[in-house]
Amino acid sequence: MSRLGFKNYYLQGGDWGSLIVVNLVRLWPEQVLGVHLNMVGIMPFSTFKCASIHFMGSIFPSLFFSSPNVGPDHNAIEIFKRFTIETGYLHIQATRPDTVGTSLNDSPIGLAAYILEKFSVWTNLKENRGFQDGALTKKFTLDELLTIVMVYWVNGNIVNSQRFYREFFLDTRHMHLDSHYVSIPVAHASGLNEYFDRNPVELSRCQLNITHYNEYYFGHFAAFEEPKILAQDVFDFVKSLH
Ligand SMILES: *[C@@H]1O[C@H](CO)[C@@H](O)[C@H](O)[C@H]1NC(C)=O
């Protein structure tokens, strides 16, 4: 950003982007004016206070969490269960990325299946699993989905995208960064169908200065699924800072 000539800027991110932009803030806090996230991956056990809220909140959600959308399934066992059934890909990519990667680079059908399955279940895990076609075209057109697959196919870059996981977990520098509180304003547009960040905002506040929080009916690929809603939330957040 400095080389492009921007002294100050806002950041937006979801998925890996949310980790990347939050770490950018931790490294260059004086340059970033605000961060907008549509996924918040937090470590609830970062502080004693936070771990206590996490634990007590899982027993009495309505006493600790303001959102009516935090239900009885917010507890360590259910979170672990959800995480386990949906993260086989993560384990493979974090340990043996090239094995599956070379096969996918060799098969357009395999590549499409591997990628599009994510667009089905991560858009709405509870509902889309029940459909034979994964309800893929409920939110996206086949052309849009094929465009995404083609980006990987034409560039042959599925292997790189998978090896990223292995390199991330091998490199422990981010663990040190994780413990730094982010005091600049942070917005969270929380997707109610998002698989990975059903953390109550009270827990996200253990690590981030969340000044703007809204919940929406979208899933993991918010910018793709509901671009207008997400963009509006970004603009509202930036306006709220002036
Ligand atoms: C959060 O950000 C607001 C707006 O910049 C600021 O006034 C407040 O002091 C910050 N809070 C914390 C805990 O850093």
Side-chain angles (χ1 to χ4, degrees):
M1 291 302 275
S2 304
R3 262 186 277 158
L4 290 171
F6 295 100
K7 281 201 183 72
N8 298 109
Y9 41 86
Y10 299 90
L11 297 168
Q12 204 287 329
D15 197 281
W16 280 110
S18 71
L19 274 78
I20 291 167
V21 296
V22 168
N23 280 339
L24 281 178
V25 181
R26 287 172 169 141
L27 292 166
W28 290 281
E30 66 291 341
Q31 294 181 17
V32 184
L33 300 170
V35 181
H36 185 284
L37 305 172
N38 61 287
M39 185 183 114
V40 173
I42 62 139
M43 296 289 157
F45 304 109
S46 56
T47 62
F48 179 72
K49 185 183 154 206
C50 205
S52 312
I53 299 176
H54 187 63
F55 178 69
M56 293 305 288
S58 68
I59 303 169
F60 311 106
S62 58
L63 287 184
F64 289 86
F65 305 136
S66 54
S67 167
N69 294 311
V70 181
D73 62 349
H74 180 78
N75 63 65
I77 294 169
E78 285 302 319
I79 292 169
F80 181 73
K81 241 200 249 171
R82 286 203 293 274
F83 192 78
T84 312
I85 57 169
E86 202 45 47
T87 49
Y89 83 100
L90 189 147
H91 199 170
I92 289 176
Q93 294 178 191
T95 52
R96 300 285 184 273
D98 294 5
T99 317
V100 67
T102 32
S103 321
L104 298 177
N105 251 353
D106 200 41
S107 160
I109 297 291
L111 183 70
Y114 196 88
I115 293 174
L116 295 185
E117 168 260 307
K118 294 282 167 277
F119 282 88
S120 166
V121 284
W122 289 358
T123 297
N124 193 331
L125 182 82
K126 277 192 201 128
E127 282 185 15
N128 293 359
R129 282 177 145 209
F131 289 83
Q132 270 190 344
D133 65 354
L136 273 171
T137 52
K138 212 166 117 190
K139 291 294 185 96
F140 313 115
T141 68
L142 287 178
D143 263 357
E144 287 171 330
L145 294 165
L146 191 56
T147 300
I148 289 175
V149 176
M150 288 301 282
V151 170
Y152 288 88
W153 179 252
V154 172
N155 295 300
N157 59 7
I158 190 76
V159 181
N160 314 37
S161 77
Q162 297 181 313
R163 197 178 303 137
F164 179 75
Y165 286 68
R166 176 158 168 79
E167 291 177 4
F168 174 81
F169 288 108
L170 282 177
D171 185 338
T172 51
R173 282 174 297 176
H174 62 89
M175 290 183 182
H176 161 72
L177 279 175
D178 278 350
S179 58
H180 290 222
Y181 180 76
V182 173
S183 57
I184 65 151
V186 180
H188 183 195
S190 180
L192 293 170
N193 302 326
E194 164 67 86
Y195 191 71
F196 291 102
D197 84 336
R198 296 312 315 134
N199 278 312
V201 65
E202 287 77 10
L203 288 178
S204 312
R205 287 204 167 106
C206 297
Q207 287 185 2
L208 309 168
N209 181 8
I210 299 204
T211 62
H212 185 94
Y213 177 81
N214 287 305
E215 295 177 346
Y216 296 105
Y217 285 98
F218 52 57
H220 186 71
F221 304 101
F224 184 27
E225 186 185 341
E226 294 292 353
K228 286 190 181 140
I229 295 175
L230 187 71
Q232 191 57 52
D233 198 80
V234 174
F235 289 128
D236 291 347
F237 166 58
V238 172
K239 265 188 224 140
S240 77
L241 301 175
H242 291 279

